[in-house]
Amino acid sequence: MYDVVLLTLGSERDASGGACGSGGACCGSATAHGDDAGSTAHRSDTDATAHGDDAGAGAMAGDAAGACASGDRDGGKAGERCDTPRVPVLACADALTARGARVETVTARSDAEIDEVLARFDGSPRPDGLTWPDPDSKVRLVVASASDAQLRAVVRRLVRRYAPPPSRRPDDLPGNRTVPDLPPIGVLPLDPVRSMTHRDLAAQLGLPRDPGAVAAAVLDGTPRRLDLLRNDGGSVTLDGVLVGAADDSGRPLHWRGRVEVDDAVLSNGDDPLLACAIGNAGGYARLDDVALLGSPDPTDGLVEVAVAVPVVTRSTLGRKRVRLEVRRARGRAVAVLPREGRVPFLDDGAEGELSRKRSWWIEPGAWAVWAG
């Protein structure tokens, strides 16, 4: 039977200014304040920048770093933290145990603690000295995820662990990849309410949300391999990226930047842009009522990119009208170069700012989820 690790991401910090989930808290009775995916990111990775260019490339990207202790403020016991798992985690653990699995629940509050869990997937030592995942591992991992940013934080650490240096690229690595097949992950969504209005990655993939069904998928299901976006800032993208700014009322603001997809140029930097969507899946396929992306597919080995450009036209009576032109392209890689200052963006829900060229490229079938 399998050893199953139920992994939850938490923080030692107090709840002021951060969120453990999407409108909820890590601990069962705690109440988090706000769901700003990037406001509380730890910044421990060597490639993270002080201005958030990696959209939360720090230790607990996005709301993975949200604060969870609110016992004193909300009338609970002093010092209450995320050591008490949320109800879905306990229910999933019970379902796994009932099937004979050996279950361990872990709350990781740093990259190092995530890495301790992931080390259980290491294979036997290789002659080339590389750390490689065991394809026949009897360990199963379930990530209790309050947001796509939390799931991304775990996948990012998998990539950091198993991606070989370019100078030591082995012959058994697929030619179109920089990482081996990463171990499959079971996804336990912790926010079923928000999923009804915001289609998180689990909803888009049709993954189970009920803890018992998640347990069944992990023990009886098959891995569904999915494409992964890596970027030159050292992070990864599972769903997608939305580049653009908005005013205090939420109205998109114009920005300028060069956007290239393989050999296609969607904007040379002269056009005013309202948004640029980079889609592995469909989480950022729309901007309000405007369809940006057509049909992004996380299994087709391609990234779909779109830019929204306001175009001014005049009627026969001379009246000025503005229509939104959407330019799209598909390819293996995309690069965005802001022309003016910093441009905010969301990457799997984690906030950041682009101030220099950023490139994303597709890694076909690099990661996987347990599907029923």
Side-chain angles (χ1 to χ4, degrees), residues 17 23 38 86 196 214 299 324 354 361:
R86 287 177 61 172
M196 299 301 100
V214 172
T299 64
L324 200 60
L354 284 183
W361 66 90

Side-chain angles (χ1 to χ4, degrees), residues 176 226-229 237-240 261-262 278-282 293 295-305 329-334 360-365:
N176 59 354
L226 303 167
D227 301 336
L228 177 71
L229 280 173
T237 302
L238 310 181
D239 186 349
V261 184
D262 292 349
I278 301 169
N280 185 37
L293 304 176
S295 55
D297 182 352
T299 64
D300 65 359
L302 296 172
V303 57
E304 184 172 345
V305 183
R330 297 165 66 85
R332 291 289 311 279
V334 55
W360 291 260
W361 66 90
I362 204 80
E363 301 266 341

Side-chain angles (χ1 to χ4, degrees), residues 80 175 298:
E80 179 183 359

Side-chain angles (χ1 to χ4, degrees), residues 52-89:
D53 278 349
D54 194 25
M60 308 297 287
D63 46 358
C68 300
S70 59
D72 290 340
R73 183 183 59 253
D74 296 330
K77 294 181 180 179
E80 179 183 359
R81 297 189 184 276
C82 285
D83 297 290
T84 302
R86 287 177 61 172
V87 171
V89 177

Side-chain angles (χ1 to χ4, degrees), residues 72 86 202 224 267 281 326:
D72 290 340
R86 287 177 61 172
R224 184 192 303 177
S267 173
V326 179

Side-chain angles (χ1 to χ4, degrees), residues 263-320:
D263 296 328
V265 178
L266 296 182
S267 173
N268 61 11
D270 296 330
D271 300 309
L273 304 179
L274 289 184
C276 172
I278 301 169
N280 185 37
Y284 297 102
R286 302 188 67 86
L287 179 64
D288 295 331
D289 58 348
V290 177
L292 295 178
L293 304 176
S295 55
D297 182 352
T299 64
D300 65 359
L302 296 172
V303 57
E304 184 172 345
V305 183
V307 295
V309 184
V311 177
V312 179
T313 61
R314 291 188 180 276
S315 68
T316 55
L317 299 177
R319 293 177 180 175
K320 185 171 65 174

Side-chain angles (χ1 to χ4, degrees), residues 123-251:
S124 302
R126 292 168 51 105
D128 55 16
L130 294 175
T131 301
W132 219 246
D134 180 2
D136 300 316
S137 176
K138 298 303 181 183
V139 179
R140 296 286 186 266
L141 174 64
V142 179
V143 176
S145 172
S147 68
D148 288 343
Q150 290 192 337
L151 181 60
R152 184 186 79 150
V154 176
V155 177
R156 182 170 53 82
R157 297 313 300 175
L158 279 171
V159 170
R160 290 295 183 91
R161 185 166 194 86
Y162 295 122
S167 61
R168 299 178 59 192
R169 181 183 178 89
D171 294 336
D172 56 343
L173 188 65
N176 59 354
R177 295 244 297 271
T178 64
V179 293
D181 285 354
L182 301 176
I185 294 174
V187 181
L188 175 62
L190 294 180
D191 196 353
V193 175
R194 190 180 181 191
S195 69
M196 299 301 100
T197 56
H198 172 77
R199 287 178 58 80
D200 58 16
L201 190 60
Q204 294 180 58
L205 297 174
L207 299 180
R209 306 188 80 89
D210 176 77
V214 172
V218 170
L219 297 180
D220 303 326
T222 57
R224 184 192 303 177
R225 301 220 65 87
L226 303 167
D227 301 336
L228 177 71
L229 280 173
R230 294 193 65 185
N231 70 54
D232 55 6
S235 192
V236 301
T237 302
L238 310 181
D239 186 349
V241 182
L242 183 64
V243 185
D247 61 18
D248 293 339
S249 300
R251 292 186 296 266

